Amino acid sequence: MNNQENKQTGITGWIDKRLPVFTFINHNLRDYPTPKNLNYFWNFGSLAGITLVIMIVTGILLAMQYTANTDIAFDSVERIMRDVNNGWLLRYIHMNGASMFFIIVYIHIFRGLYYGSYKYPREILWMLGVVILLLMMATAFMGYVLPWGQMSFWGATVITNLFSAFPVIGDYIVTFLWGGFSVDNPTLSRFFVLHYLLPFAIVGVVALHLVALHQFGSNNPTGLDVKSSGDTIPFHPYYTVKDYFGLGVFLIIYAALVFFAPNFLGHPDNYIPANPLQTPAHIVPEWYFLPFYAILRAVPDKLTGVLLMFAAVLVLFLLPWLDKHKVRSATFRPFYKQFYWLFFINAIVLGWVGAMPAEGVYVLIARIASVYYFSFFLIIMPLLSRFEKVGELPSSISAAVLSKKFDKDTNESYAK
Amino acid sequence: MKVMQSKLHIIVLLLTILFPLSVFSAGDKVDLMEQKWPFNGIFGRFDNTALQRGFKVYREVCAACHGIRHVSYRDLKDIGFSSDEIKSIAGEYEIKDGPNDEGEMFQREALPSDKFVGPYENDNVARVANNGAYPPDLSLIVKARAGGADYLYSLLNGYKEYPEDYEASEGMYYNTFYPGNQIAMPSPIEDDIVEYDDGTEATHTQIAKDVTAFLAWTAEPELEERKSLGVKTLFFLALITIMLLGVKRKVWKDLD
């Protein structure tokens, strides 16, 4: 259907002529041509968007009841849990939603990493995604401070103190962040303001992310470009229904967590009110920061540790230029595929040592894993882009889909 | 082959999510005395008679040093007390209120809408009265300790004589389950320290069990509502997801 020719009549037609919202929806959510071979890993983009909306809605409702003051922040959260109608439900949805959001986004990123979604012409799309990740991390960190429990307070203290590692200006930065000489009321109140503000910044970047996505359309498991209309299907109904099904599965997992294990991913110490005079035995960040926390602690020098921790995320910005191999999808790259899975396991190992005390063998494991983390991006990727040989690729998405089907039917490769 | 690979992906994904979590629970070396609590599991419910016994233990034993400041007297309705009973329970506590029209602070009887009045005027008084150790508020204690109800039950049953050659600190007690083993609280319960109204034999373990159940309720008063809503939600989601899978398959069929 040609979108320029607006066939709508009546009131929708009248509106659409003056403000083309219906054309826009039609163009981007209905007819939008999408590769026909997307697998379930392509569900995670829309899932992330839905989770963002859930977080914003529950967050706004919670903010109506929460008080950002060190004297009553903890009690105001308990009031939400006990006396506000369905307050416990809102809070548990919001609290676990943060974890679900990170699970989804990490899978989304690993998807992009496997299928080469960051390569030409989607470099800016990818970089906008990294910006979203950074904003999410800042938002999540500040949100965890708001209940003003022991982990809130000590997590905030440890993380803000990292900035003191910078020579000369370090202490000024820390004082500036705190709004005083320790983590106290000004810190809590600014964290609350920023925690409320940043999600809307995320919405803005997500909008740009989608504009950039729709410029060239989705990548796909073969990594091949769309060559003809035979390679694509309209977004609606095919991917809308597939996304709905994925959403159902996601909500089952999410609801199981919210209703039956709401504190499973949290830390018991955060139900103890913040006490600046008593340090918890182990200060651990939320699980989604653990790999980066492990990199931080793997380095004996504080400043280097801090820089490497930030570099671990920032290196993602350079990905399109570190991996210049012509083939996008790891499916056709025998060596990249193996290093990729090693990287994946390595990331889990980093998360695991991040939760362990920084002593003995754990430090050694963290160091080896950190070295591999950076080597994967800075050494392996550039080398593979020069030397990795690949076999013949399918001629098009359709051909790849057909040969797969043929494989299934006759157990014999069509490509052979 | 492809199918196998995608299954592998799912297994790896699940491992990613679950693996880092298991390390938290693997941290403690002491095995807790695990109990079959009626409030565990997806159909878990509180046993009100046990909670009422536990409340009696709290009032007659724990409340001498520990508050439950997040709980209101009116909340007792949830564990089976009548409005009149709640009024008379609240009436036993005195609360400082004011200022009145003359600008004076005054003492009055607590009302059902008040939060439980704690044993001490402020934290410093609490410390002075307890050899420098602060008796923590108990409303959230079950949520605020790794191991939850099992930990609390174990702690209450975990008092032992100091082992030989142990360098005991002045005024501290030995407990198998307390981190570091030295706790400032002496064993708070013993056989028959309370007399149960319903005739239940007040053994040490029974008392520990009842008061733990009561504190599990003060920590998560929403538990029953949460779990019953959870079962309904999951049932609904499972149903709609199966239907969506059917729709998806039907829609995609015409692509073959």
Side-chain angles (χ1 to χ4, degrees):
Chain A
M1 198 201 288
N2 188 344
N3 296 301
Q4 303 308 315
E5 275 177 48
N6 177 23
K7 289 277 164 45
Q8 277 154 332
T9 52
I11 191 153
T12 46
W14 189 89
I15 294 171
D16 201 61
K17 188 167 181 184
R18 286 148 185 87
L19 181 73
V21 278
F22 298 105
T23 307
F24 179 85
I25 290 168
N26 205 27
H27 185 71
N28 288 295
L29 282 170
R30 217 179 127 167
D31 296 340
Y32 178 58
T34 312
K36 62 182 181 189
N37 59 335
L38 302 186
N39 59 32
Y40 276 104
F41 284 101
W42 264 263
N43 279 51
F44 287 87
S46 75
L47 284 182
I50 291 164
T51 312
L52 177 60
V53 174
I54 294 175
M55 293 304 280
I56 288 178
V57 171
T58 52
I60 289 173
L61 292 170
L62 286 169
M64 292 175 184
Q65 303 285 352
Y66 169 79
T67 309
N69 178 298
T70 49
D71 290 334
I72 46 177
F74 187 90
D75 289 2
S76 79
V77 172
E78 272 312 306
R79 196 186 143 264
I80 291 171
M81 293 297 291
R82 289 157 195 271
D83 293 341
V84 174
N85 290 335
N86 294 307
W88 60 269
L89 182 58
L90 282 176
R91 174 166 181 249
Y92 280 155
I93 290 176
H94 196 74
M95 200 172 112
N96 287 290
S99 286
M100 297 314 286
F101 204 0
F102 273 96
I103 290 175
I104 286 168
V105 164
Y106 283 151
I107 295 173
H108 190 62
I109 292 170
F110 271 105
R111 194 282 320 269
L113 212 52
Y114 188 83
Y115 295 111
S117 301
Y118 48 85
K119 293 185 186 181
Y120 173 87
R122 299 185 180 85
E123 297 94 331
I124 291 186
L125 172 61
W126 171 264
M127 290 163 80
L128 287 168
V130 181
V131 173
I132 295 171
L133 176 65
L134 283 169
L135 286 170
M136 272 177 66
M137 287 175 147
T139 309
F141 163 66
M142 288 187 283
Y144 193 59
V145 177
L146 302 185
W148 209 244
Q150 274 288 67
M151 277 298 158
S152 300
F153 178 86
W154 289 98
T157 305
V158 169
I159 301 299
T160 47
N161 255 318
L162 293 179
F163 291 92
S164 70
F166 290 104
V168 188
I169 50 164
D171 287 334
Y172 292 100
I173 298 176
V174 175
T175 311
F176 179 74
L177 289 175
W178 286 344
F181 299 103
S182 64
V183 174
D184 209 332
N185 202 48
T187 327
L188 176 62
S189 109
R190 67 188 50 194
F191 277 19
F192 177 53
V193 171
L194 292 173
H195 181 73
Y196 198 104
L197 173 73
L198 288 186
F200 297 99
I202 294 178
V203 171
V205 185
V206 166
L208 295 177
H209 193 66
L210 287 174
V211 172
L213 171 70
H214 284 221
Q215 188 74 355
F216 295 98
S218 297
N219 183 28
N220 66 83
T222 65
L224 302 172
D225 286 323
V226 169
K227 294 200 173 97
S228 68
S229 62
D231 289 344
T232 65
I233 46 179
F235 191 79
H236 181 75
Y238 298 106
Y239 285 109
T240 40
V241 72
K242 196 172 177 180
D243 279 352
Y244 274 131
F245 170 62
L247 177 65
V249 174
F250 165 68
L251 287 180
I252 287 173
I253 298 168
Y254 189 0
L257 210 55
V258 165
F259 289 107
F260 300 110
N263 295 301
F264 178 63
L265 295 163
H267 198 290
D269 278 28
N270 226 26
Y271 283 107
I272 304 171
N275 181 355
L277 300 175
Q278 192 177 44
T279 319
H282 295 287
I283 301 175
V284 261
E286 288 278 81
W287 68 267
Y288 37 80
F289 291 133
L290 288 174
F292 304 102
Y293 194 56
I295 292 175
L296 168 78
R297 296 190 309 175
V299 190
D301 177 57
K302 190 175 169 188
L303 179 60
T304 321
V306 172
L307 291 175
L308 280 180
M309 183 181 72
F310 286 120
V313 184
L314 296 178
V315 71
L316 294 173
F317 277 116
L318 302 176
L319 217 55
W321 295 276
L322 290 170
D323 176 11
K324 303 195 76 163
H325 199 281
K326 283 279 174 280
V327 174
R328 288 199 191 100
S329 174
T331 317
F332 304 111
R333 297 180 61 185
F335 292 102
Y336 176 74
K337 193 192 275 181
Q338 294 177 30
F339 285 113
Y340 169 90
W341 285 114
L342 195 56
F343 177 78
F344 180 78
I345 294 162
N346 188 66
I348 296 169
V349 169
L350 274 174
W352 167 70
V353 286
M356 296 319 232
E359 56 195 30
V361 69
Y362 298 124
V363 179
L364 183 69
I365 297 171
R367 285 183 185 161
I368 296 168
S370 301
V371 168
Y372 183 73
Y373 183 95
F374 286 104
S375 309
F376 176 73
F377 291 117
L378 300 174
I379 300 170
I380 294 167
M381 274 193 163
L383 283 181
L384 284 182
S385 10
R386 279 193 76 171
F387 298 113
E388 187 177 23
K389 296 269 188 297
V390 294
E392 208 183 326
L393 301 181
S395 58
S396 72
I397 294 172
S398 295
V401 173
L402 273 179
S403 81
K404 207 168 136 187
K405 204 166 281 162
F406 203 69
D407 261 0
K408 230 197 294 185
D409 291 347
T410 64
N411 232 350
E412 204 176 280
S413 175
Y414 175 77
K416 279 177 200 165
Chain B
M1 180 64 203
K2 277 286 165 200
V3 177
M4 243 188 70
Q5 220 177 21
S6 67
K7 274 197 184 134
L8 245 173
H9 285 161
I10 292 166
I11 291 166
V12 171
L13 271 176
L14 283 176
L15 282 177
T16 331
I17 297 165
L18 299 177
F19 181 61
L21 304 170
S22 58
V23 298
F24 289 116
S25 42
D28 295 313
K29 282 179 199 85
V30 190
D31 285 330
L32 297 176
M33 304 159 76
E34 282 180 28
Q35 301 296 301
K36 281 202 178 100
W37 301 104
F39 47 84
N40 281 352
I42 61 169
F43 298 107
R45 293 290 181 273
F46 288 119
D47 171 4
N48 275 357
T49 55
L51 295 195
Q52 291 188 13
R53 288 197 300 270
F55 174 58
K56 184 167 183 160
V57 178
Y58 167 75
R59 251 207 313 175
E60 294 179 10
V61 183
C62 319
C65 306
H66 297 274
I68 43 171
R69 68 192 177 93
H70 295 294
V71 184
S72 303
Y73 296 104
R74 62 174 159 75
D75 294 336
L76 292 173
K77 203 164 189 172
D78 292 354
I79 64 170
F81 285 96
S82 71
S83 298
D84 289 338
E85 284 171 317
I86 292 170
K87 248 181 219 156
S88 76
I89 290 168
E92 290 169 26
Y93 293 80
E94 283 242 309
I95 201 167
K96 195 179 191 178
D97 203 349
N100 61 14
D101 294 345
E102 278 83 48
E104 308 277 334
M105 302 301 281
F106 58 93
Q107 296 283 333
R108 64 164 171 81
E109 283 184 4
L111 297 169
S113 55
D114 286 314
K115 300 272 183 200
F116 265 83
V117 180
Y120 301 107
E121 186 129 2
N122 58 55
D123 293 3
N124 291 357
V125 176
R127 273 178 216 283
V128 169
N130 290 285
N131 201 12
Y134 176 69
D137 187 87
L138 295 182
S139 359
L140 282 164
I141 204 79
V142 168
K143 262 167 140 181
R145 296 291 182 275
D150 287 328
Y151 168 75
L152 187 57
Y153 178 77
S154 307
L155 184 87
L156 291 172
N157 286 301
Y159 284 91
K160 297 261 154 47
E161 291 296 315
Y162 273 108
E164 279 176 48
D165 307 332
Y166 197 95
E167 275 197 42
S169 309
E170 179 74 30
M172 300 292 268
Y173 304 86
Y174 187 86
N175 191 306
T176 326
F177 300 98
Y178 191 72
N181 293 128
Q182 295 200 75
I183 183 167
M185 173 174 72
S187 177
I189 48 181
E190 55 191 65
D191 289 344
D192 297 316
I193 196 167
V194 291
E195 195 183 326
Y196 284 137
D197 304 329
D198 61 1
T200 309
E201 204 183 332
T203 60
H204 187 119
T205 49
Q206 181 66 41
I207 294 170
K209 205 163 186 169
D210 290 340
V211 78
T212 302
F214 172 70
L215 292 173
W217 170 76
T218 62
E220 301 191 295
E222 88 296 344
L223 180 139
E224 292 190 348
E225 194 191 351
R226 170 159 59 79
K227 291 189 173 178
S228 87
L229 186 59
V231 170
K232 288 174 210 153
T233 308
L234 279 190
F235 180 74
F236 165 78
L237 284 174
L239 207 68
I240 203 165
T241 305
I242 291 166
M243 276 161 58
L244 283 167
L245 179 63
V247 177
K248 190 254 161 191
R249 288 210 168 139
K250 190 165 190 298
V251 167
W252 279 70
K253 214 175 171 88
D254 55 75
L255 281 185
D256 284 337

